Amino acid sequence: VTGASFVVFNGALKTSSGFLAKSSIVEDGLMVQITRETMESLRQALRDKKDFQITCGKMDAEDVKEYVDICWVESEEKTNEG
């Protein structure tokens, strides 16, 4: 589990790269490089307020992969309102 101040989703990852998705820590945040198709699915999940999981790693790797989970929660913090 990684805590981050911000998350950047970059939808420019080419399918020919051999990666499902790539995640990396940048400064005090997280950058997730995904394909255009995954970006469209992510956008739809955000619009529908549905949980979404991004699998990171090489397409042909059989070992353990990294996952970026976007989860909606019931309680909302009231900080930074307005």
Side-chain angles (χ1 to χ4, degrees):
V1 176
T2 301
S5 296
F6 63 91
V7 178
V8 175
F9 295 101
N10 179 342
L13 185 68
K14 304 287 185 213
T15 52
S16 61
S17 70
F19 283 92
L20 297 165
K22 293 166 63 175
S23 64
S24 55
I25 296 173
V26 250
E27 296 179 15
D28 60 341
L30 179 69
M31 181 171 66
V32 184
Q33 298 175 1
I34 56 179
T35 62
R36 183 184 321 206
E37 295 80 14
T38 304
M39 180 65 87
E40 287 302 318
S41 298
L42 172 59
R43 286 182 179 153
Q44 189 60 50
L46 291 173
R47 281 194 280 279
D48 296 341
K49 295 185 177 179
K50 301 283 184 190
D51 293 350
F52 193 78
Q53 184 178 72
I54 300 170
T55 305
C56 300
K58 289 234 177 226
M59 288 184 191
D60 57 357
E62 294 180 19
D63 57 341
V64 178
K65 304 225 185 295
E66 284 184 15
Y67 299 96
V68 176
D69 291 313
I70 295 98
C71 303
W72 292 88
V73 295
E74 292 296 320
S75 63
E76 291 185 27
E77 296 296 323
K78 300 297 180 186
T79 57
N80 294 331
E81 260 189 13

